Amino acid sequence: MSLGPGRHRFTGAIAGVGSTSGVRIVVGRWSDSPLGAFADVMLAEPDGTRVLLAPDDDVADFVSTTYGFDRVEIAGVRAEVTGREWHVSAPGLELTFTTGSRSSLGWLLRLVPPRVATAPVWARLTDPVARLVLRGVRTRGTAGNGRREYYGATDLHRVTGLAGSWQGTDLGALGDVSPEPGFGFGSTPERPSVTSIVTTVVVG
């Protein structure tokens, strides 16, 4: 399903974690979107190979036209949150990580009224600041195919621990999301974190 002309909002959270194995993972957990509720995984292997794990063709088409991947796999992706723990599973991937306290940036984000924080005009204003403060992060960009995307963050929590495996190899301990995975303009902060976010996609 392709998104028609107009504005489309995706509400959820994005988690970005690195590991001592060299695998870097970005998990999207979307509670409300034009594609329904879903989870997807963008994963960079130690050699730089970029992999998208998507639950169906619609999600795969949408994400892969926004970001760059070397391989796309259609597979059952689950991302469940229990308290401070995230449990993410997909064929070849088992991942559990724990969130900690709200960061100083998270406290600042909470001061902004949600209606303002999630508006595209706010994303345009904050983009220069995001690029300076959070290396590799953009709050707006062109996604190709006549689409523009705006990221409205409303909260941010640190990630404090990680366990899991990819393709049978242990991920090791938690690490920074470094080097930058190279998925595209949105990326994720270098420090492991979970960002509550509303993404607005403008088509046409």
Side-chain angles (χ1 to χ4, degrees):
M1 182 186 80
S2 60
L3 300 182
R7 290 189 176 188
H8 309 275
R9 287 164 63 95
F10 292 70
T11 302
I14 296 175
V17 295
S19 67
T20 54
S21 69
V23 175
R24 291 138 290 154
I25 301 171
V26 177
V27 181
R29 184 174 185 265
W30 305 101
S31 58
D32 184 51
S33 85
L35 303 177
F38 69 92
D40 66 295
V41 174
M42 300 189 292
L43 183 148
E45 296 179 326
D47 66 358
T49 300
R50 300 162 302 170
V51 183
L52 170 64
L53 305 176
D56 56 44
D57 289 333
D58 287 340
V59 171
D61 289 344
F62 173 76
V63 178
S64 63
T65 55
T66 304
Y67 300 99
F69 302 97
D70 303 297
R71 189 167 79 245
V72 176
E73 299 181 8
I74 309 298
V77 181
R78 296 174 62 87
E80 300 176 347
V81 179
T82 305
R84 290 181 176 271
E85 280 199 345
W86 281 53
H87 304 275
V88 182
S89 61
L93 177 67
E94 291 294 334
L95 173 66
T96 299
F97 59 87
T98 305
T99 58
S101 60
R102 179 176 288 127
S103 69
S104 56
L105 178 56
W107 285 109
L108 288 173
L109 292 171
R110 296 289 289 175
L111 295 175
V112 182
R115 185 176 179 181
V116 174
T118 60
V121 65
W122 182 253
R124 288 195 292 269
L125 291 172
T126 57
D127 186 61
V129 178
R131 282 190 281 179
L132 287 173
V133 176
L134 299 170
R135 188 173 67 179
V137 173
R138 298 287 307 275
T139 59
R140 65 167 182 161
T142 301
N145 298 307
R147 292 188 345 214
R148 288 162 288 151
E149 294 205 1
Y150 302 89
Y151 297 122
T154 58
D155 204 353
L156 191 147
H157 286 255
R158 300 178 180 89
V159 172
T160 58
L162 170 151
S165 63
W166 168 242
Q167 301 292 11
T169 300
D170 191 89
L171 291 174
L174 180 68
D176 286 344
V177 189
S178 179
E180 201 278 321
F183 299 126
F185 69 86
S187 194
T188 186
E190 184 177 7
R191 293 289 180 90
S193 60
V194 174
T195 305
S196 299
I197 197 166
V198 174
T199 298
T200 300
V201 181
V202 180
V203 181

